[in-house]
């Protein structure tokens, strides 16, 4: 019954900003990392940014310097602040939560349904 729910997408002009939010609708145990992925029509889903429970962040060359990922204090909520948006950022953005065992072994990934981000020029 657990799922992730994204919000905050929309239509914005190039150079504008959006803040995406993602939260679990139920309890997800042993979250290690949360991240944002995106998928444009006809393309593979790709990582945008990720953050560990300890606060370590990962960005792609495209997102670094423009986007900021953060995690809520309860470690079951993740945000993506997107600034200086470009038309090539247009995609459906998906939230992901990775769970692990006590030994750090990957257990399961949870995914949201996605939120559309459209950037016009």
């Amino acid at each position: 019954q657990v799922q992730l729910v994204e919000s905050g997408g929309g239509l914005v002009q190039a150079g504008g900003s959006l803040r995406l939010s993602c939260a679990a609708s139920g309890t997800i145990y042993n979250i290690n990392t949360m991240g944002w992925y995106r998928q444009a029509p006809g393309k593979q889903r790709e990582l945008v940014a990720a953050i560990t429970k300890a606060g370590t962040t990962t960005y792609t060359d495209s997102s670094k310097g423009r986007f900021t990922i953060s995690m809520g204090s309860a470690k079951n909520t993740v945000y993506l602040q997107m600034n200086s948006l470009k038309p090539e950022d247009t995609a459906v953005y998906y939230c992901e939560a990775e769970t692990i065992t006590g030994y750090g072994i990957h257990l399961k990934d949870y995914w949201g349904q996605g939120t559309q981000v459209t950037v016009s020029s």
Side-chain angles (χ1 to χ4, degrees):
Q1 304 291 64
V2 175
Q3 64 176 355
L4 299 174
V5 180
E6 304 99 333
S7 63
L11 175 64
V12 65
Q13 296 288 327
S17 299
L18 286 172
R19 186 172 190 256
L20 306 183
S21 300
C22 172
S25 64
T27 301
I28 299 178
Y29 297 99
N30 302 318
I31 292 176
N32 183 54
T33 66
M34 298 189 76
W36 289 95
Y37 292 72
R38 68 187 182 189
Q39 187 169 23
K43 295 186 177 181
Q44 295 291 318
R45 187 173 299 186
E46 64 178 3
L47 174 71
V48 177
I51 184 169
T52 70
K53 187 177 179 180
T56 302
T57 57
T58 298
Y59 297 94
T60 64
D61 290 339
S62 178
S63 62
K64 188 175 183 179
R66 299 188 299 128
F67 297 178
T68 302
I69 189 169
S70 60
M71 184 178 286
S73 60
K75 311 302 181 182
N76 59 1
T77 305
V78 67
Y79 307 93
L80 185 68
Q81 178 66 46
M82 304 188 292
N83 299 323
S84 302
L85 284 163
K86 305 174 181 178
E88 49 262 47
D89 295 318
T90 296
V92 177
Y93 284 70
Y94 297 91
C95 174
E96 180 252 7
E98 179 213 19
T99 60
I100 59 172
T101 69
Y103 294 96
I105 300 173
H106 179 82
L107 187 60
K108 184 179 181 179
D109 289 321
Y110 293 83
W111 291 91
Q113 296 299 307
T115 184
Q116 177 71 46
V117 172
T118 302
V119 184
S120 62
S121 60

